[in-house]
Amino acid sequence: MNTQKSKLLIYGASGYTGKIIAARAKELTLDFEIAGRDAVKTQELAKQLNVPFHVFTVDDENAWKKVLENKQVLINAAGPFKFTAQQAMNACLNAGVHYLDISAELDTYRLAESLDGKAKEAGIQLMSGAGLFVSYDALAVHLAKLVEQPQQLKIGFQHYGGFSKGSVLSSKNITDLGVLIRKDDQIIQNDNPEPKVFSFGKKQLECLPTPLGGIILTYKSTRIPNIEEYFSLKLPASDIPDLNPENLPDGPTQEERASGRNALSAEVTGIDGNVVKAWIDAPSGYDLTPLSVVAVASRILNDDFKVGYQSPGSAYGEDIIKDIPDTRLIDLIN
């Protein structure tokens, strides 16, 4: 029996973002298989891509054991991750398979963080938030290196392209937490959230306080003790008036995704009060996520990884941006 670990498994591949991830893996001619809970959709996608497929629920421990036997990396694209991450992480820990997901849910990051010791014992890299937050994290790492003892990070994220049903369902697990910030190394509620204007190149944009991945992921990467995050949404021309998942299409069309860009803007303050700023110009969200997570998976498939719980920045620093097509980091002059 061939026990060589060379393959990638994409779980949740027949979902909206999962399909784009699988298409990207096919474009790069990666050696991969797909899996999911919906037999009809998974089989149909496997036929389109001409790849092997597996159908099982996330709670099926025996199926996980069998399917992961000859895999090196798992991408979990099946959200909301509140219901899938723990089972998939445990399966990877048991199988010695590197774990990635595209979650934007803070509790998933906390779960990954808590499994650091077990990931080290298993010899795997365990990374939650390997989608949009890859470039996000890299931006913060870049700026943190430009000041002495970075003390504060403020980062704004402009998302373009609307939302998928899955993202809307997952977003409840974020908004229910309230507006969280990191202050003096501790995650606390921001009782007086105020909007902030960020510079995205020549454009100035007001963003609203929102708990994103930085208070956990970027803290792992930089140890900046004070982190505040902000968010702004821009919808395509076919403006979606209602974010009830029952009334949403699966997600933005390819044309809608291509008609706009995502942007990230950040500023880091050093212990001496020096402030440095930069921004990232990137593809729209549902293109950026697949490009990012497949970039990380490709690194692992080439034996580039760090054992234990990792954030994108702690594993790859700012250099990972070079692996994400059509994505640029630009320093801002104060």
Side-chain angles (χ1 to χ4, degrees), residues 119-273:
K120 288 175 179 175
E121 290 176 7
I124 69 168
Q125 179 168 289
L126 185 68
M127 185 184 293
S128 183
L132 287 172
F133 291 105
V134 175
S135 52
Y136 180 109
D137 212 26
L139 173 61
V141 170
H142 168 74
L143 289 174
K145 295 192 300 185
L146 301 181
V147 298
E148 182 181 353
Q149 297 182 40
Q151 295 298 302
Q152 185 176 64
L153 164 69
K154 294 185 178 182
I155 186 164
F157 172 35
Q158 182 191 17
H159 170 69
Y160 179 88
F163 295 102
S164 70
K165 289 182 180 180
S167 293
V168 172
L169 291 171
S170 289
S171 68
K172 188 176 187 303
N173 299 322
I174 303 170
T175 57
D176 284 352
L177 297 174
V179 178
L180 301 177
I181 60 173
R182 187 173 284 274
K183 184 175 182 180
D184 298 331
D185 290 315
Q186 302 299 315
I187 295 175
I188 64 169
Q189 288 281 344
N190 183 358
D191 294 328
N192 298 292
E194 297 287 342
K196 177 176 170 55
V197 175
F198 287 89
S199 177
F200 298 87
K202 296 180 180 180
K203 178 174 61 176
Q204 306 293 311
L205 184 67
E206 184 176 80
C207 299
L208 300 176
T210 306
L212 296 169
I215 57 174
I216 296 176
L217 296 180
T218 303
Y219 181 72
K220 165 71 175 176
S221 304
T222 66
R223 294 298 170 183
I224 296 175
N226 301 286
I227 299 174
E228 297 178 15
E229 302 171 284
Y230 300 80
F231 179 82
S232 175
L233 169 65
K234 183 179 180 182
L235 293 170
S238 59
D239 197 351
I240 300 171
D242 185 356
L243 288 182
N244 183 332
E246 294 181 0
N247 298 328
L248 283 172
D250 288 340
T253 65
Q254 184 174 359
E255 291 74 18
E256 287 172 339
R257 297 197 308 268
S259 65
R261 308 277 294 171
N262 266 21
L264 295 157
S265 180
E267 58 185 56
V268 169
T269 305
I271 197 166
D272 57 359

Side-chain angles (χ1 to χ4, degrees), residues 45-93:
L45 181 62
K47 185 176 180 180
Q48 293 172 8
L49 297 172
N50 191 28
V51 296
F53 73 96
H54 311 272
V55 178
F56 60 96
T57 66
V58 73
D59 297 311
D60 191 334
E61 295 180 11
N62 289 330
W64 276 118
K65 182 178 180 181
K66 181 178 179 181
V67 171
L68 291 178
E69 186 175 358
N70 67 337
K71 304 301 184 298
Q72 188 175 353
V73 189
L74 169 71
I75 294 176
N76 177 15
F81 295 91
K82 177 180 180 179
F83 304 114
T84 68
Q86 185 164 14
Q87 299 93 319
M89 287 182 191
N90 287 339
C92 285
L93 290 169

